[in-house]
Amino acid sequence: MEKEILILCQVTIEPSDIWGMWDIKMYIFLLMGEIPRLLDDENGYGPNGKNYIAHVDIPVNVLKAFEELKVEYADLVRAANPLYASKE
């Protein structure tokens, strides 16, 4: 069975055989879901959205990196699970 190797930001990430570790796609899935939540807009968790958290200033280079990663990993941007939404 051939293992998939991903190269992110000039870092080679190889699959791990360590018991209990997720594969790299799971980590990307989790991380790609965080930036949309941190945004302080109508969809985010900040005061201008759900108001769950205080305003977060996300550095421009982080937003740029997120946008670049979305090109390759758009299917891994995690949407919020409505089962865990606050009851308003």
Side-chain angles (χ1 to χ4, degrees):
M1 176 182 209
E2 192 170 314
K3 293 183 178 182
E4 179 181 7
I5 296 175
L6 299 175
I7 298 177
L8 300 173
C9 303
Q10 304 303 319
V11 175
T12 302
I13 301 172
E14 296 187 29
S16 172
D17 291 331
I18 299 172
W19 183 84
M21 296 296 294
W22 291 321
D23 65 36
I24 190 64
K25 284 191 177 181
M26 183 60 177
Y27 287 106
I28 294 170
F29 175 72
L30 292 171
L31 291 171
M32 292 295 287
E34 293 309 312
I35 296 300
R37 286 167 178 73
L38 290 174
L39 291 173
D40 192 5
D41 63 14
E42 65 277 358
N43 299 311
Y45 287 0
N48 293 314
K50 302 291 186 191
N51 200 24
Y52 296 150
I53 61 173
H55 174 81
V56 175
D57 288 321
I58 303 172
V60 172
N61 60 337
V62 172
L63 291 172
K64 184 177 183 248
F66 175 71
E67 292 301 321
E68 290 175 7
L69 287 169
K70 274 194 343 186
V71 172
E72 182 72 24
Y73 301 106
D75 60 321
L76 295 178
V77 177
R78 181 171 48 106
N81 186 332
L83 292 174
Y84 301 106
S86 295
K87 309 297 184 233
E88 295 185 37

